[in-house]
Amino acid sequence: MKQPAALEPSPRPPSVPTLEQVYRDHADFVWRLLRNFGVEGAGLDDAFHEVFLVVYRRLGDYDGRASLPSWLFGITRNVVLHHRRSHARHQRRLTVAPEPSAGPQPDEVIAQLEARALIDRFLATLGEEHRIVFMLAELEGLRVPEIAEQLGVNLNTLYSRLNSARRRFASFVAGGRDGSAESE
């Protein structure tokens, strides 16, 4: 079975050393270069193999104008730069993603569900006019002038409805729960 074209070396003139000769004579040199460039750990092995893959693919292009160590230095430097860029991209992706939050504790979730159920029961006791102003002001955080503008209702009327709904809510939470403690 034939190897993919990307891994086949270019034809070598007779004066070009073989991959085996380059590896035997210069592997220690490449290893030292990688270490001196600051490549460590598993990245060192990966970069070392990458250098010799590039040498394998480009050995036929080596024309002898520069010494073999100089040529290997250039390849090694480019491999190190590529690995650093890849590592930097990987680190950026990690820093962009937010740290996973622990999330709420089960008792907090239950308390939130109970509070939501209480509010839903209370809202069901209100007439539509009081319910809307209470929801928008207390639950959604809108200011009463904004609500008045959106609904086209007099500002003082909305303040009156909101105050009435607040009193009813306080009574509802305190135990009246039927909503009849205050009149609309």
Side-chain angles (χ1 to χ4, degrees):
M1 181 167 158
K2 188 174 177 180
Q3 291 182 351
L7 294 179
E8 292 182 16
S10 303
R12 260 187 3 262
S15 62
V16 175
T18 64
L19 177 64
E20 294 79 16
Q21 290 170 326
V22 173
Y23 186 87
R24 184 182 58 242
D25 296 343
H26 300 286
D28 291 339
F29 171 69
V30 169
W31 189 264
R32 286 191 309 273
L33 284 175
L34 291 168
R35 296 280 307 223
N36 290 335
F37 276 125
V39 180
E40 297 177 345
L44 183 60
D45 287 335
D46 291 344
F48 182 78
H49 291 239
E50 181 68 25
V51 167
F52 281 98
L53 281 172
V54 172
V55 168
Y56 175 73
R57 287 192 305 265
R58 297 192 43 217
L59 195 55
D61 297 337
Y62 175 67
D63 59 9
R65 285 187 288 171
S67 69
L68 198 54
S70 293
W71 186 68
L72 289 170
F73 173 82
I75 291 172
T76 304
R77 183 190 65 219
N78 289 336
V79 166
V80 168
L81 292 174
H82 173 74
H83 276 263
R84 285 184 182 160
R85 283 191 304 267
S86 296
H87 181 70
R89 277 192 303 271
H90 178 70
Q91 291 300 94
R92 279 194 304 272
R93 280 189 220 115
L94 291 178
T95 58
V96 169
E99 289 292 323
S101 65
Q105 297 296 317
D107 57 337
E108 294 171 342
V109 171
I110 291 171
Q112 290 173 351
L113 291 173
E114 288 174 350
R116 183 67 217 184
L118 176 76
I119 290 171
D120 288 343
R121 285 193 311 271
F122 170 71
L123 290 174
T125 68
L126 294 177
E128 185 175 347
E129 294 172 338
H130 286 80
R131 183 173 47 248
I132 289 173
V133 71
F134 186 83
M135 284 187 332
L136 293 176
E138 295 299 326
L139 302 179
E140 299 300 330
L142 295 178
R143 296 178 314 128
V144 177
E146 293 174 308
I147 299 168
E149 183 180 324
Q150 290 298 317
L151 298 177
V153 176
N154 180 293
L155 184 62
N156 290 331
T157 302
L158 284 182
Y159 275 119
S160 174
R161 290 177 186 167
L162 180 59
N163 287 334
S164 174
R166 285 175 176 164
R167 284 191 304 272
R168 289 185 67 190
F169 183 68
S171 174
F172 186 84
V173 170
R177 301 199 195 239
D178 62 0
S180 61
E182 289 289 330
S183 65
E184 292 188 29

